[in-house]
């Protein structure tokens, strides 16, 4: 259940850029406003892209941590599966 919720969160974060079309103050709207003021479009939109990237990757990392914490077996199961993958790769 955690992965679909994380996907919805990431979709909401990325979809929030559409709100700038109706003048809602969010990252893209602020970026457009700063671009008008300082005329540094490339720099401003690179920073905005980095903000979206950090929010998306941060949400995915937190979702992964929550999923490991609530999964049956917790952290022990994830370590065992990683060890199994390593030995399976060595045998091939």
């Amino acid at each position: 259940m955690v992965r679909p919720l994380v996907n919805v969160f990431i979709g909401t974060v990325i979809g929030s850029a559409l709100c700038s079309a109706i003048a809602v103050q969010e990252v893209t709207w602020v970026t457009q406003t700063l671009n008008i003021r300082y005329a540094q479009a490339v720099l401003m939109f690179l920073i905005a892209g980095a903000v979206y990237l950090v929010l998306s990757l941060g949400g995915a990392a937190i979702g992964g941590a929550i999923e490991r914490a609530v999964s049956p077996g917790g952290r022990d199961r994830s370590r065992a599966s990683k060890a199994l993958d390593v030995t399976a790769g060595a045998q091939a």
Side-chain angles (χ1 to χ4, degrees):
M1 189 68 188
V2 176
R3 285 186 191 215
L5 289 176
V6 171
N7 287 338
V8 168
F9 170 74
I10 292 172
T12 303
V13 168
I14 293 171
S16 70
L18 298 174
C19 294
S20 65
I22 56 172
V24 174
Q25 287 190 355
E26 55 82 52
V27 176
T28 305
W29 187 84
V30 171
T31 302
Q32 290 172 346
T33 304
L34 290 173
N35 180 35
I36 291 169
R37 181 178 295 164
Y38 298 111
Q40 300 259 340
V42 174
L43 178 64
M44 298 297 170
F45 283 101
L46 281 174
I47 292 171
V51 168
Y52 281 121
L53 184 66
V54 167
L55 286 172
S56 298
L57 291 178
I62 290 171
I66 292 171
E67 186 173 12
R68 281 190 300 278
V70 299
S71 69
R75 295 180 184 207
D76 296 331
R77 190 178 123 207
S78 64
R79 287 183 185 152
S81 67
K82 286 181 184 176
L84 180 64
D85 290 342
V86 171
T87 57
Q91 292 173 357

